[in-house]
Amino acid sequence: MKKVMQYVRPQLGKISFQLAIKLSANIVELLLPWMLSYILDNVVPTGDMRQVFLWGGLMILCAAIALIGNVIPNRMATKTSRDITESLRHDLFEKVMNLSSSQTDRFTVPSLISRLTADTYNVHQMIDRVQRMGIRAPIMVLGGTIITLTLDPVLTLILACTLPLLGFIIWYISSRGIPLYTEVQGTLDSLVRKVQENMTGVRVIKALSKSEFERDKFGKANDEMFEKERRAGMLMASTNPVMNLILNIGLTLVIVVGAFRVNAGLTQPGKIIAFLTYFTLILHSLMMISRMFVMVSKGISSAKRIEDVLDAPDDMVVNECDHVDSEYHIEFKNVSFSYNKKKENIADISFALRRGETLGIIGPTGSGKTTIISLLLRFYDPDSGEIRISGDKIEGIEPEKLRSKFGVVFQNDFLFADSIRENIDFGRSLSDEQLEKAAKTAQADFIFEKENGFLSLLTSKGSNLSGGQKQRLLIARALAASPEILIFDDCSSALDYKTDADFRRALSEELSDTTTIIVAQRISSIMGADKIMVLDEGRIIGYGTHSELISGCRSYQDIFEIQMGKRADR
């Protein structure tokens, strides 16, 4: 909660002001039953209607002050809690965007989504309810108890006997509710993950007739969340009937004892009516406290989950610049890495590229091709070995400077619902000439054939384009800023052979000084590369030119024969 409270502190002035207004209004509201008691016991018996109307008008005035004094702070509380949550969600989103890939893997994307949405909502509700009821309910309980003591101390003893028991019930239930709601939020993460997986893979699920299978998996996750939510809800819901039972028993005792005291002449009827009114106010206030504790229980568990993200350390620290003079633009020296730190995903990877050279990487699924790209972009740090760009160790390069060197097309990249121009420009304020040149190099001529050209609108994920058009648009985005290093992670799988060949030719002509790394499944995409790396189970099993690998690497020969439909010239 300490981290979340930092967002509350700037608003403490406004909160204190509104609480002062609410405090004054609640004190005025507490005077109403006492006034009624005074009128019934002291004014009415005199028969002076002028005094009756005077005190009645005073009660109306106090009621109006209490109404206004509660409405205004409640509106202020809504605005204050909104501003606090807005600031909290902004910083949380910024932190999420700056988490390293390993931290994102640890939290998981669905969990981060639920922390940004459901958890911030719970914190918002907690802050709002505490401001609205956090001052009113205690004042009503404490103030009502004090005034009843002045009316009839004997009857107040009945109320005093119930309050410790009610306080214990609230504490007991809320102390067990917080862990339960933490479990509920964790289960929500699993449910969000399952929904996200189904939405992303909906076409595959339908194509393989696995809708029923996925529906059953979702049903199990949904049932698990339902069960935990039911347990937490039943625990919290038990506060209302238990408190009602205790308070109504107390109210009955007040009426019975009060009747005997009136008959004995020890008290007056007006005081009994006022006492019942105060007892009812205290009842409703304690019910508000119980409901507030439900929101506080949810809010505290959500705040802890948010703080876990906000307190996550920056594990991608920029070290001092470590530079050595080198003739190579990119160097990997004995690099090894493991995602789970148990089994190495890549081991002892070494290669070097001069500026303007092209490296092709090929190998079966899971051989470590994308992992090498992730390490080069410093999404992860290697467990051993070193990576250098222009002689600089990448751990000593500022992230923005490092990433600005690259133009990247990932295996599962995205397009958003905006114009083609905005999708290629990607917020970099590039000129029209740069965009057109990139589109031509990427063989995205279909853009010029559209009625609105670069201003043509795309739907979400580019669903109004074919697979090949999407890939060419993504390639144009990578080329547009003329980067030092180009990375194509299996980005030409939807291109026909002719378009792929035309793109490779244009790339070599237009960006001859750009170092390029191509991850591919097709040999035809990397045959012309200066160097080709063949991976298998995270290790290099072949490295050299196409002709060298054809004559010396059995795995490369097999891939060539399968894909090209002819025997390799060995």
Side-chain angles (χ1 to χ4, degrees), residues 27-37 58-64 66 277-278:
I27 292 174
V28 171
E29 187 176 352
L30 282 170
L31 294 176
L32 291 173
W34 178 84
M35 291 180 180
L36 179 61
S37 170
L58 187 59
M59 286 185 69
I60 292 173
L61 177 62
C62 288
T277 304
Y278 282 119

Side-chain angles (χ1 to χ4, degrees), residues 512-531:
S512 56
D513 291 334
T514 301
T515 306
T516 306
I517 297 178
I518 303 170
V519 176
Q521 298 290 340
R522 299 193 310 210
I523 279 186
S524 60
S525 299
I526 59 173
M527 286 174 58
D530 298 291
K531 298 291 182 181

Side-chain angles (χ1 to χ4, degrees), residues 174-186:
S174 62
S175 64
R176 279 153 180 75
I178 292 174
L180 283 176
Y181 279 116
T182 302
E183 289 182 18
V184 170
Q185 291 302 111

Side-chain angles (χ1 to χ4, degrees), residues 126-177:
M126 177 182 67
I127 295 172
D128 184 56
R129 294 297 175 89
V130 167
Q131 289 181 88
R132 290 180 181 225
M133 299 187 292
I135 187 70
R136 175 180 171 79
I139 287 296
M140 286 298 177
V141 173
L142 182 61
T145 304
I146 293 172
I147 294 177
T148 54
L149 276 170
T150 65
L151 293 173
D152 194 320
V154 175
L155 292 178
T156 307
L157 290 175
I158 299 173
L159 175 63
C161 291
T162 63
L163 290 180
L165 182 58
L166 293 172
F168 172 76
I169 292 170
I170 292 173
W171 169 82
Y172 178 83
I173 292 176
S174 62
S175 64
R176 279 153 180 75

Side-chain angles (χ1 to χ4, degrees), residues 161-445:
C161 291
T162 63
L163 290 180
L165 182 58
L166 293 172
F168 172 76
I169 292 170
I170 292 173
W171 169 82
Y172 178 83
I173 292 176
S174 62
S175 64
R176 279 153 180 75
I178 292 174
L180 283 176
Y181 279 116
T182 302
E183 289 182 18
V184 170
Q185 291 302 111
T187 311
L188 177 62
D189 294 345
S190 301
L191 190 66
V192 172
R193 180 169 60 251
K194 178 52 59 183
V195 172
Q196 187 181 36
E197 289 172 355
N198 288 340
M199 291 177 66
T200 303
V202 63
R203 293 185 179 181
V204 177
I205 293 169
K206 289 182 177 181
L208 298 177
S209 300
K210 287 293 183 180
S211 298
E212 192 64 33
F213 175 75
E214 291 297 331
R215 192 178 294 114
D216 290 341
K217 288 177 67 176
F218 173 80
K220 290 178 181 178
N222 195 25
D223 290 343
E224 182 183 0
M225 182 175 176
F226 165 78
E227 180 59 28
K228 291 186 177 180
E229 183 74 47
R230 185 185 65 82
R231 286 171 53 204
M234 286 183 65
L235 176 67
M236 289 301 181
S238 64
T239 55
N240 284 2
V242 172
M243 292 177 66
N244 268 321
L245 175 64
I246 295 172
L247 288 168
N248 285 325
I249 290 173
L251 194 59
T252 302
L253 290 174
V254 167
I255 294 173
V256 173
V257 174
F260 280 107
R261 288 178 64 78
V262 169
N263 286 336
L266 299 175
T267 189
Q268 296 171 297
K271 290 183 178 179
I272 298 298
I273 293 173
F275 199 95
L276 293 175
T277 304
Y278 282 119
F279 208 97
T280 304
L281 281 175
I282 293 169
L283 165 66
H284 287 299
S285 297
L286 286 169
M287 297 299 292
M288 281 195 295
I289 291 174
S290 69
R291 288 194 293 270
M292 185 176 68
F293 268 92
V294 174
M295 296 307 305
V296 169
S297 298
K298 287 184 177 181
I300 290 175
S301 63
S302 292
K304 289 179 179 177
R305 283 162 49 85
I306 290 171
E307 287 180 350
D308 287 342
V309 178
L310 293 175
D311 290 336
D314 186 2
D315 61 355
M316 288 293 182
V317 180
V318 179
N319 301 325
E320 292 185 10
C321 180
D322 181 358
H323 177 81
V324 294
D325 293 332
S326 175
E327 60 180 308
Y328 296 108
H329 193 192
I330 298 173
E331 293 178 87
F332 271 60
K333 296 181 179 179
N334 307 114
V335 173
S336 298
F337 175 75
S338 170
Y339 289 104
N340 57 20
K341 308 308 175 188
K342 294 180 181 178
K343 180 182 178 181
E344 290 184 330
N345 295 90
I346 61 170
D348 200 27
I349 301 296
S350 297
F351 66 87
L353 296 175
R354 292 182 173 85
R355 186 177 293 273
E357 287 187 334
T358 298
L359 171 68
I361 305 177
I362 195 169
T365 301
S367 59
K369 303 186 295 296
T370 300
T371 301
I372 291 175
I373 301 304
S374 298
L375 292 172
L376 180 59
L377 290 164
R378 211 195 171 194
F379 292 158
Y380 301 90
D381 280 336
D383 297 330
S384 61
E386 64 179 32
I387 304 170
R388 294 183 180 272
I389 297 177
S390 300
D392 293 326
K393 200 172 181 180
I394 62 169
E395 287 85 350
I397 306 175
E398 291 289 338
E400 288 189 8
K401 183 180 178 182
L402 175 66
R403 307 278 160 72
S404 67
K405 296 176 180 290
F406 294 93
V408 185
V409 184
F410 290 110
Q411 195 169 3
N412 297 307
D413 225 326
F414 69 97
L415 295 167
F416 48 90
D418 208 326
S419 66
I420 290 177
R421 189 188 197 287
E422 291 301 320
N423 270 279
I424 297 177
D425 180 64
F426 213 61
R428 293 173 290 183
S429 302
L430 303 176
S431 66
D432 292 339
E433 291 76 12
Q434 287 175 294
L435 300 180
E436 290 175 7
K437 180 181 178 182
K440 290 177 180 177
T441 304
Q443 308 302 302
D445 297 328

